Each structure stands twice: as C-alpha cells, then as structure tokens.
Amino acid sequence: MRFAASGLIIGAVCALAGPAVAQKAPGIGTTHNRDLVSELTFACRAIDAVEVSCEIKETWVEYKSNPNQIEKTVSDIVASLSGEKEKAEFIDDACEVLPDIEDRIGEGIKADDQELSDLSPKQIAILEDVLLRLQNICTNKDMPSIEAHIQHFVDIETKTCVVKSMSWERNFRRNTDTIWTAVADQSKDGGICGVVTLDRLEKKDQLFGWDYVKRSISSNPNEVILEQSCAQRHDGVETRYSNDSTAVEMNCEFIEFDWLY
C-alpha cells in the first residue's frame, strides 16, 4: 500500500505541475475570432530558452457577397452599366452565352452532362432561373431585365460562403512569462507595403491557453494595393484570437473552397 500511496502522490504532483511546466512557452494551440468567423492554430517548437518557432494556419469563412450590402452591391453594378456602351456590351455577352445554356438545361439537364448531372435540385433551379433572366435580357434589351438578373446574382452570392485559409511561419521571443512577441522583422506585402509584424502570443493566466494577437503596420503607408492603401491594410489595430470558442450563425446555402489559399 505504501508503494501505491507514493505512486498516487507522485502522480498527483506531476498532474498539477505538468501543465504549468508545459505552458512556460507556447506549444500547440487553437484560437478563434468570432467576428471574423476565423480559426487560427499554431504549433511552436523551442529554439532556445527564450525563443520559439511557430507554424501558423488561419482558416476563415466569409460570404461571397456581404448580405448587409445587397442594395449597394446591386446599385454599384448597375451604375457601372449606365453608359450605352457598357449596357450594350452586357446584353451582347448575355446573348452570346444564352444558346449554350439553352442547349444544356433548356429541356432539362442531360444525363451524360457530367458537369451538371450531379447538381442538387436547388442548384438546378438557380440555373433555370438564370436561363429565364438571360432570355429576358436578350428579348427586352432593357435595364429592368438587367437589374433583375443582377439582383438574383447578388442574392445567391450572399448565401454562398467561401472557406479560405492561409499559412505562415513566425518566431516569437519571450517578453514575460505570459507574453511572447514576434521577432522583429520586415517583410514585403506585394513588394510594396513593407510590413512590420507586431504579432504576439499572450496568456491570460495559468489556467487558460494562449491567445494569438495579430497586429501589423506598414513602413510605406501611402502605397496602394488593389485600391487599398498600405496604411488601411496594415493599420496597427489589434485582432485577438481567443482560445475559447462558441458557434457562429451564418446563412450559408452553398459552400465554396477558395483554391487560391
């Protein structure tokens, strides 16, 4: 019994001491940001007593088109077609693709059409609606028909969610027992922004895992990428990913996986 009791005591001490020892430096963790519908995971290995190297992956879900900006998105697209030349080109493009769509779904999807035969009833209904709207555009050649087609297109995109992910590596150096900051480096965003990374891993207390805090600033703030200034893309604002998680509500009828990431 003495041996068994000793074993229990040693086991209890190890169980209590183990997590504290393991958590002196960041190891493996999963964090979330509900507002961004994003999960960020990290796996860190020690380089020495004060520095770790981490492999990081962020995966997030976003609407293909923002449901809160349907009217603006539609009006922006319609405005881009306000000129007679742009309107005529849109109608010509619609009428050009119409025969192929009519051939493939006009009398129902053919069994040997491998690309379309596996579509769900809802997807088929959407295609049939697209066909109807394109026919209206080619017949009427007016803005109401074009606007109806654009409205339908945007509505579908607001119910389509896209899964994206991005991976990177970063070293962190111990600042305090509960804060490890990214090793100061300067990378290039598209060869223009000159990003200074200020990320950190932060522990609230010994009972909880690590949070990941993203922060970056640009050394070339006035440069522009994709109509957005480097100062806007890297504004120095902190984005926190916490180690707790709750369900996020989204209105997704379709899910796509972004092949660019």
Side-chain angles (χ1 to χ4, degrees), residues 110-131:
K110 302 176 180 65
D112 60 352
D113 191 331
Q114 295 182 354
E115 185 179 1
L116 300 181
S117 58
D118 291 335
L119 295 180
S120 69
K122 180 173 288 188
Q123 290 171 313
I124 293 173
I126 289 172
L127 279 181
E128 291 172 341
D129 195 67
V130 168
L131 172 59

Side-chain angles (χ1 to χ4, degrees), residues 157-183:
E157 289 208 328
T158 61
K159 295 179 178 64
T160 301
C161 295
V162 184
V163 180
K164 300 183 177 182
S165 64
M166 181 171 58
S167 301
W168 67 96
E169 295 181 6
R170 183 144 291 132
N171 286 12
F172 292 83
R173 189 167 291 141
R174 181 180 178 276
N175 187 352
T176 68
D177 285 345
T178 57
I179 297 177
W180 290 62
T181 55
V183 174

